[in-house]
Amino acid sequence: MSIIGVREYSNIGSIKGPLMVVQGISDAQYNELVEIELPNGERRTGLVIDAGMGSAIVQVFEGTSGISPSGVKARFLGRGLEVKVSEDMLGRIFDPLGTPLDGGPEIIYGERRNINGEPLNPAARQYPEEFIQTGISAIDGLNSLLRGQKLPIFSGSGLPVNQLAAQIARQATVRGEETNFAVVFGAIGVRYDEALFFRKFFEETGAINRVAFFLTFANEPPVKKILTPKTALTLAEYLAYEKDFHVLAILIDMTNYCEALREISASKEEIPGRQGYPGYMYTDLAQTYERAGIVKGKKGSITQMPILTMPNDDMTHPIPDLTGYITEGQIVLDRGLYNRGIYPPINVLMSLSRLAKDGIGEGKTRDDHKDVSNQLFASYARAIDLRGLAAIVGEDSLSEVDRKYLLFGELFERKFITQGVTENRPIEKTLDIGWEVLSELPESELTNIKLTYIKKYHPLYREKK
Amino acid sequence: MNEGKIVRVNGPLVVAEGMQNALMYEVVEVGEYRLIGEITRIEKDRAYIQVYEDTSGIKPGEMVYRTGSPLSIELGPGLLGRIFDGLERPLDGILELSKSPFIKRGVKVNSLDRHKKWYYKPIVKKGDTIEDNDILGTVQETELIEHKILVPPSVKGKIIDTVEEGNYTVDEPIATIDMNGDRKELYLMQKWPVRIPRPYSEKLEPTEPLLTGVRVTDTIFPMAKGGTAAIPGPFGSGKTVTLQSLSKWSEAKIVIYIGCGERGNEMTDTLTSFPKLKDPWTGKPLLERTILIANTSNMPVAAREASIYVGITMAEYFRDQGYDTLLVADSTSRWAEALRDLGGRMEEMPAEEGYPSYLASRLAEYYERAGRVRTLGKPPRYGSVTVASAVSPPGGDFTEPVTSTTLRFVRVFWPLDSSLAQARHYPAINWLQGYSAYVELVADWWSKNADPKWKEYREYMVKTLQREDELRQIVRLVGPESLAEKDKLVLDVARLIKEAFLKQNAYDDIDAFSTPQKQVRIMKLISLYGQKSQELVEKGISVKRMNEKITIVTDIIRSKATIKNDELEKYDELEKILLKQFEELSKEV
């Protein structure tokens, strides 16, 4: 932003939805911050989204209800939307403009940063290669999370995604390392009870001191919801790249974010894309999700775990769809598994971690990890296929090998995927369970595993030793 | 040149007044930061400018500076092995200059290094007459690539001076010509406007396969040098991995990889892994033949629109030197979305799903820049541009405008299937939906260079897979056990085709790349197995019994990852055992 003073205007042309046209101004900057003062002294904040000669369109964060064209003062502040960020924000709760919500003091010393951030130079990035052990077999074994990755969780309404997110936040660790670890938590348009759940969880586990909370509730204006992940990630970037923290950024729930985006887009009368969501939603989401990673020469990192609710459990809905195109994989929760009492109800076949291949295997987790994971995927996919078939033609008309696959599928879900809310499995344990369930299949079916690993880890040969 | 004044800023769209005589697609510098933009509409003295960088803080009243020339890029030694943004600014240069891991606005960096000296060997002599695209001399740019220095298009004349063999920077004159009485200096580098295709002498039908080392894309749906392919697929189906395999293992001399609105970490992956990987055709580091263009999803939208043109212009430039080049774009859907975004801001009338009505013509222009050509200039030479682009259909729906329009302009279709991907069958190319118009064209090459029976084997596999699909419909109703034995055998052979041939692990050292010779060896074994087993089944042996006795099948499946490309004699052994086991079994008849 170029340096320019504060200018005040009071000629409001029109008001529509969250937008307000200010007349008479010819030097409004695009994305300039505007302070709006109502006749009763109330102050609101807005941003210039269209700057013209003689007028500017201002988007008001808190909404325009109660604003009348007369008596309103619009102060153009000559700077963009910035918040103060500081290490002191850990252990605290804020709204997306940086105002404390926990009754504590304002952040006084801090660095002012534009919350939109800047794109990270691909030449400055360091490729993620460090395995994060979450202690959850379905993730560690099959869809491993790496430090610096962005891996979302696709949930459905009513599924236990909050428990899972909390479990990951508590258990996630890079083994053999004591580090500066922090969680930045962006709660976007959440229900009161959700906010309470996470707050209580962090307090009980004693983790609250390394968590910074940014919060907007479900009933707040859409613009505030839009700002929440941006502010959260601005702090995450500061902590990671200036203060050497390894940050886990959890954003919940991105569906609320997208709905807010649609609401604002509609009020701007933009041409809608699919299902009324704006055509630029991909780019907008990318500008949030891409704020993760590791930078060469910096000690810290940002690992991002956005959480979203698939409307009607539909993965092809624009929100999960566009997210999946940007993030490096996805963890998908499944209502069918949940209904059968399986926790965590992770559908491993639909889940994916694009980076896993670079963080697992010899010297990172265990030499057989890649092969075991490939085999589990292939065999479980076959088991699911056969399960569908058996439902129609009956188990008896399947071959002997096929029936073994059915049994394998059952054991895989009961032993490998299922685990307790507090159960923290080391990766070796996860892989050993994998071998245990695979040993139900004839050895000739294990074509994805190298013979040397079969000799080394297959329970049949292990027992002999 | 006159300057304009900004009257409106709306995201990447800036409107300026006082722009008399502005040209369409002229490059301008906008505001105090001198952000780069391009004029996309003119109304009297008003110009609508698409700005390639973030416009926050720009305000009406600031100046717009004209440059008088369209968006052009620098072409010359120093492109290979580098990573550029969508406007051909080197990202490592930006990193150095801005001293920040983030990309700052308004940074001006030369595309080609002005200080680096290249060892130039002239071919032309004083007194020679030269014209468009003649080779002036050469620079050994990397161990792998000899960069031919070309006479820029539409330059003709007599050489009145040329330099000695030696070290020169890209902007030192290397020759002076007399062009209709004017002296004109030529350099190692030249400039070319990206939106205009570079000229050539004649376009030819592709004849040679572009080998990729990936079995399904070499044999089932082969690609040709100078061909066009689309790879649509929902997220997670392996578009990027397929494109990366192509750019790693394909036989092209030059590979240009455009990350158009995709993930930052993926570009970093390519950037860090390519120097370590060896080109299987030459054994040299892959990065020496690769140019990366990264305009990740979080970088400004307008530059994403330009990146496709920048990439294809580079590909044409190397084609003009006589090289087979491969352009890989991930993904054209993001490019189309950039068109939609900019069109919307210009308040254009939208067509299908909000995309501008000119989507089809833009896609056509892009794909039509591919092809095998006889180039202009002396000595005579042939080159090709092969284009393979990912398409990212929303929700995996192939009927959406970008996918369906793209299919009209490409001749190879590699559709990715999410159910295959979920079963970790990679590459997840659907063998029933895909197609290639080049099968007949490349069959000749295969029969001469790999195996005369290639086409026969291929047809056997394709037919078996089609028959399997029909049978699966029946199995879904009655179960596999009620099938006739000969139909059970089809399922059995189809499984072998999938496991031993189609599935290929891009991350396995041995399996990632298969030579044509290795491919035909596996095909031969499959066909042999099919033929022998059919004979026995017809004689009354059950498929179940056969599975019990022919145990070598497991080794055949494993062979893709156990037998290296240079030890194909091991296949003789497998073949011998296979025949022996069949012989044993035939005694049971």
Side-chain angles (χ1 to χ4, degrees):
Chain A
M1 292 271 158
S2 48
I3 297 170
I4 179 166
V6 176
R7 291 96 69 216
E8 192 176 289
Y9 291 85
S10 54
N11 188 357
I12 310 299
S14 63
I15 301 172
K16 194 165 90 190
L19 306 182
M20 192 171 92
V21 180
V22 180
Q23 306 278 11
I25 182 163
S26 289
D27 63 350
Q29 300 173 344
Y30 180 68
N31 270 343
E32 183 175 357
L33 198 62
V34 183
E35 189 181 80
I36 298 140
E37 196 180 319
L38 272 58
N40 63 3
E42 187 194 334
R43 283 179 187 199
R44 296 188 191 178
T45 318
L47 214 54
V48 176
I49 57 160
D50 194 336
M53 273 291 180
S55 72
I57 302 176
V58 176
Q59 174 172 314
V60 185
F61 295 162
E62 292 88 347
T64 47
S65 66
I67 297 187
S68 134
S70 53
V72 171
K73 287 179 195 146
R75 261 177 233 116
F76 291 77
L77 300 180
R79 58 181 168 91
L81 183 54
E82 293 166 339
V83 287
K84 265 189 204 160
V85 288
S86 125
E87 226 176 301
D88 298 338
M89 292 177 115
L90 290 172
R92 303 279 312 273
I93 304 174
F94 300 91
D95 84 346
L97 296 170
T99 317
L101 293 178
D102 53 2
E106 294 259 355
I107 297 295
I108 298 173
Y109 301 104
E111 200 181 304
R112 276 196 174 280
R113 286 202 169 195
N114 191 307
I115 67 163
N116 286 313
E118 287 166 314
L120 201 53
N121 188 333
R125 279 182 185 270
Q126 183 167 336
Y127 193 65
E129 287 184 324
E130 276 176 300
F131 173 77
I132 295 180
Q133 180 176 295
T134 64
I136 294 163
S137 294
I139 297 177
D140 291 355
L142 299 174
N143 298 293
S144 319
L145 172 69
L146 305 193
R147 185 175 269 173
Q149 186 175 9
K150 40 188 183 293
L151 188 65
I153 303 180
F154 292 1
S155 177
S157 17
L159 297 180
V161 70
N162 292 351
Q163 282 83 334
L164 182 62
Q167 189 176 4
I168 293 169
R170 185 182 58 234
Q171 293 178 178
T173 149
V174 170
R175 293 206 300 180
E177 209 183 79
E178 285 289 317
T179 49
N180 264 349
F181 181 68
V183 175
V184 172
F185 202 95
I188 309 153
V190 293
R191 295 190 311 269
Y192 196 75
D193 62 297
E194 284 179 290
L196 220 57
F197 167 84
F198 281 108
R199 190 172 173 180
K200 228 172 97 186
F201 169 81
F202 286 123
E203 274 168 1
E204 277 168 9
T205 52
I208 188 77
N209 289 329
R210 42 173 213 180
V211 179
F213 235 107
F214 293 89
L215 186 61
T216 42
F217 288 109
N219 55 0
E220 292 195 79
V223 186
K224 282 190 110 174
K225 294 178 193 163
I226 300 281
L227 301 179
T228 312
K230 296 183 198 288
T231 307
L233 290 167
T234 305
L235 175 66
E237 281 174 349
Y238 173 79
L239 292 176
Y241 307 137
E242 306 295 329
K243 299 289 165 191
D244 299 342
F245 277 93
H246 288 293
V247 181
L248 175 63
I250 298 178
L251 306 171
I252 188 169
D253 176 325
M254 288 305 286
T255 302
N256 297 340
Y257 175 86
C258 295
E259 310 257 86
L261 202 64
R262 175 166 70 175
E263 196 177 330
I264 292 167
S265 168
S267 66
K268 288 199 254 180
E269 292 182 359
E270 289 168 340
I271 298 165
R274 241 182 1 135
Q275 297 194 17
Y277 293 95
Y280 52 78
M281 192 157 89
Y282 175 83
T283 305
D284 191 281
L285 283 173
Q287 278 160 357
T288 302
Y289 295 144
E290 279 286 333
R291 292 171 84 174
I294 313 175
V295 170
K296 273 182 207 159
K298 306 260 181 192
K299 287 193 191 122
S301 67
I302 302 176
T303 310
Q304 212 188 93
M305 193 162 257
I307 293 167
L308 59 86
T309 308
M310 298 181 278
N312 301 317
D313 293 353
D314 175 12
M315 204 154 110
T316 64
H317 185 280
I319 299 171
D321 190 53
L322 294 180
T323 299
Y325 274 123
I326 304 164
T327 53
E328 286 139 355
Q330 69 278 341
I331 302 291
V332 183
L333 303 192
D334 184 306
R335 196 168 300 278
L337 291 174
Y338 175 68
N339 289 343
R340 283 163 49 213
I342 291 168
Y343 175 89
I346 296 176
N347 184 327
V348 294
L349 295 183
M350 291 175 101
S351 304
L352 171 73
S353 166
R354 290 167 188 271
L355 305 185
K357 59 180 169 63
D358 298 296
I360 64 172
E362 202 170 348
K364 287 171 175 161
T365 51
R366 204 170 78 179
D367 50 2
D368 59 330
H369 193 159
K370 284 183 191 174
D371 283 12
V372 169
S373 130
N374 281 340
Q375 187 67 57
L376 284 170
F377 272 123
S379 304
Y380 183 57
R382 176 117 190 248
I384 293 291
D385 211 23
L386 289 166
R387 197 183 275 172
L389 192 59
I392 300 168
V393 301
E395 244 181 73
D396 296 337
S397 52
L398 295 182
S399 71
E400 199 185 329
V401 175
D402 288 352
R403 283 199 294 274
K404 281 190 176 155
Y405 269 101
L406 287 183
L407 179 65
F408 160 81
E410 198 59 34
L411 286 174
F412 175 77
E413 286 168 3
R414 293 288 163 198
K415 287 190 167 173
F416 187 87
I417 295 187
T418 303
Q419 68 185 88
V421 185
T422 54
E423 188 183 351
N424 188 354
R425 286 186 192 155
I427 181 65
E428 290 79 9
K429 176 92 188 286
T430 291
L431 292 175
D432 288 345
I433 299 175
W435 276 105
E436 190 189 324
V437 294
L438 280 175
S439 67
E440 290 299 326
L441 296 173
E443 206 185 302
S444 61
E445 292 293 312
L446 307 182
T447 50
N448 287 320
I449 306 184
K450 288 197 182 70
L451 283 171
T452 46
Y453 297 141
I454 293 188
K455 295 274 182 295
K456 194 167 165 192
Y457 295 107
H458 195 293
L460 206 68
Y461 299 98
R462 275 193 168 184
E463 279 156 24
K464 276 183 194 160
K465 273 179 196 168
Chain B
M1 193 117 358
N2 47 354
E3 289 165 2
K5 209 166 108 187
I6 298 176
V7 292
R8 185 181 171 203
V9 188
N10 174 10
L13 176 72
V14 166
V15 184
E17 263 177 7
M19 302 284 286
Q20 292 85 354
N21 311 325
L23 313 169
M24 271 301 266
Y25 294 112
E26 177 181 344
V27 171
V28 292
E29 293 181 0
V30 175
E32 285 167 32
Y33 293 100
R34 289 186 169 254
L35 307 178
I36 299 173
E38 210 180 355
I39 297 176
T40 54
R41 189 200 286 179
I42 301 170
E43 282 171 8
K44 290 184 185 158
D45 73 332
R46 277 191 172 214
Y48 289 69
I49 302 159
Q50 154 179 333
V51 181
Y52 290 125
E53 295 171 275
D54 178 24
T55 51
S56 292
I58 304 292
K59 57 183 187 296
E62 289 185 35
M63 301 307 264
V64 170
Y65 307 89
R66 295 183 49 191
T67 65
S69 60
L71 184 63
S72 306
I73 58 169
E74 296 179 356
L75 299 164
L79 289 173
L80 295 168
R82 302 286 298 280
I83 181 167
F84 298 96
D85 77 353
L87 299 173
E88 209 208 14
R89 287 179 296 192
L91 285 170
D92 44 1
I94 293 180
L95 183 65
E96 216 170 281
L97 200 75
S98 58
K99 307 240 180 302
S100 155
F102 298 102
I103 297 176
K104 303 282 176 195
R105 292 187 291 169
V107 181
K108 302 271 185 297
V109 193
N110 285 322
S111 304
L112 297 174
D113 191 337
R114 294 291 191 270
H115 302 292
K116 184 161 173 136
K117 287 198 180 264
W118 298 95
Y119 192 77
Y120 168 68
K121 283 191 207 158
I123 291 175
V124 291
K125 298 180 301 295
K126 201 168 160 179
D128 286 357
T129 310
I130 53 157
E131 54 179 27
D132 303 37
N133 222 30
D134 281 358
I135 296 178
L136 284 173
T138 60
V139 164
Q140 192 69 40
E141 184 173 350
T142 65
E143 254 187 285
L144 211 56
I145 301 296
E146 187 185 59
H147 197 118
K148 312 222 163 74
I149 306 303
L150 304 177
V151 177
S154 69
V155 171
K156 289 182 180 54
K158 197 172 200 171
I159 296 190
I160 46 181
D161 194 14
T162 172
V163 293
E164 296 286 309
E165 181 173 333
N167 289 305
Y168 302 93
T169 61
V170 288
D171 55 357
E172 282 176 279
I174 49 154
T176 312
I177 61 164
D178 175 25
M179 193 169 155
N180 307 326
D182 293 333
R183 281 170 69 90
K184 185 171 172 60
E185 287 179 332
L186 301 179
Y187 306 91
L188 288 180
M189 73 168 212
Q190 54 174 284
K191 284 195 170 188
W192 187 259
V194 297
R195 293 185 196 275
I196 299 171
R198 283 176 66 92
Y200 51 83
S201 166
E202 186 188 4
K203 221 165 219 182
L204 306 161
E205 178 82 336
T207 48
E208 261 184 66
L210 181 82
L211 296 172
T212 62
V214 177
R215 293 184 290 269
V216 60
T217 56
D218 274 352
T219 288
I220 308 292
F221 306 122
M223 183 62 173
K225 284 177 184 161
T228 45
I231 311 175
F235 65 86
S237 57
K239 282 185 299 299
T240 303
V241 179
T242 310
L243 289 180
Q244 281 178 348
S245 290
L246 269 182
S247 55
K248 280 179 194 165
W249 314 127
S250 84
E251 199 201 357
K253 272 284 184 186
I254 306 281
V255 175
I256 294 158
Y257 193 106
I258 310 176
C260 175
E262 288 291 313
R263 304 175 182 88
N265 272 336
E266 274 167 9
M267 295 315 291
T268 313
D269 182 17
T270 316
L271 206 55
T272 45
S273 64
F274 272 36
K276 292 178 222 154
L277 291 168
K278 296 264 186 288
D279 175 12
W281 308 93
T282 55
K284 299 284 181 338
L286 274 178
L287 201 61
E288 293 196 355
R289 61 162 204 188
T290 312
I291 304 169
L292 298 171
I293 297 174
N295 207 84
T296 55
S297 52
N298 54 341
M299 284 154 81
V301 168
R304 198 191 290 170
E305 195 266 335
S307 64
I308 290 278
Y309 296 103
V310 169
I312 199 140
T313 304
M314 287 180 182
E316 286 175 339
Y317 172 68
F318 282 99
R319 172 202 72 189
D320 289 349
Q321 296 176 35
Y323 288 120
D324 291 316
T325 61
L326 169 68
L327 178 83
V328 166
D330 187 9
S331 121
T332 46
S333 293
R334 305 299 161 223
W335 172 71
E337 280 166 14
L339 287 182
R340 177 168 71 183
D341 189 9
L342 296 164
R345 286 184 197 267
M346 303 259 293
E347 286 157 15
E348 290 168 347
M349 181 71 116
E352 230 179 322
E353 288 195 22
Y355 287 103
S357 52
Y358 46 78
L359 174 70
S361 51
R362 291 287 175 86
L363 279 169
E365 279 166 26
Y366 162 65
Y367 283 108
E368 281 302 300
R369 286 174 79 167
R372 192 169 81 91
V373 304
R374 187 160 61 81
T375 66
L376 291 171
K378 299 181 293 272
R381 53 198 185 270
Y382 296 89
S384 67
V385 173
T386 309
V387 171
S389 316
V391 184
S392 318
D397 171 14
F398 288 179
T399 62
E400 60 91 35
V402 182
T403 317
S404 56
T405 312
T406 299
L407 285 184
R408 283 165 39 206
F409 306 121
V410 299
R411 297 186 68 193
V412 176
F413 179 46
W414 291 328
L416 300 178
D417 189 318
S418 56
S419 58
L420 288 176
Q422 283 170 13
R424 287 349 185 226
H425 177 116
Y426 289 122
I429 297 175
N430 185 310
W431 50 83
L432 297 169
Q433 284 176 13
Y435 59 77
S436 162
Y438 301 120
V439 178
E440 296 301 322
L441 287 176
V442 303
D444 237 17
W445 184 94
W446 278 89
S447 68
K448 273 186 208 134
N449 295 284
D451 191 316
K453 282 185 161 174
W454 176 78
K455 213 174 152 205
E456 194 181 301
Y457 297 150
R458 180 186 175 275
E459 270 163 19
Y460 173 70
M461 296 197 331
V462 171
K463 278 198 183 124
T464 309
L465 290 167
Q466 276 164 353
R467 178 77 186 129
E468 186 225 10
D469 184 60
E470 291 162 18
L471 290 171
R472 276 186 165 270
Q473 317 278 351
I474 303 171
V475 168
R476 256 176 231 130
L477 297 174
V478 297
E481 289 304 303
S482 18
L483 286 183
E485 283 297 316
K486 71 171 179 23
D487 289 339
K488 279 189 198 165
L489 181 67
V490 172
L491 297 188
D492 191 52
V493 178
R495 177 172 173 249
L496 183 63
I497 295 172
K498 288 185 230 168
E499 295 291 328
F501 192 83
L502 296 180
K503 260 195 194 180
Q504 189 165 0
N505 185 346
Y507 300 110
D508 184 276
D509 292 339
I510 298 174
D511 195 20
F513 172 79
S514 277
T515 58
Q517 287 71 25
K518 180 170 170 181
Q519 298 187 27
V520 290
R521 289 310 296 259
I522 303 178
M523 291 165 87
K524 190 178 170 198
L525 279 178
I526 292 171
S527 148
L528 192 66
Y529 174 83
Q531 182 201 334
K532 291 279 169 196
S533 53
Q534 190 165 356
E535 283 169 22
L536 290 185
V537 165
E538 277 167 9
K539 286 179 186 154
I541 301 272
S542 72
V543 174
K544 186 166 176 252
R545 182 71 188 145
M546 205 169 60
N547 285 342
E548 283 164 10
K549 296 303 279 185
I550 315 291
T551 51
I552 192 69
V553 166
T554 317
D555 293 85
I556 296 178
I557 293 174
R558 282 217 169 91
S559 76
K560 58 186 180 176
T562 52
I563 298 182
K564 292 189 181 129
N565 286 316
D566 55 4
E567 40 182 46
L568 297 180
E569 66 282 356
K570 288 191 179 167
Y571 276 104
D572 296 338
E573 186 64 18
L574 283 182
E575 198 178 313
K576 226 187 275 167
I577 301 175
L578 182 68
L579 287 172
K580 208 172 133 211
Q581 290 187 344
F582 269 115
E583 209 181 291
E584 292 279 311
L585 187 62
S586 68
K587 289 176 191 154
E588 295 182 14
V589 171

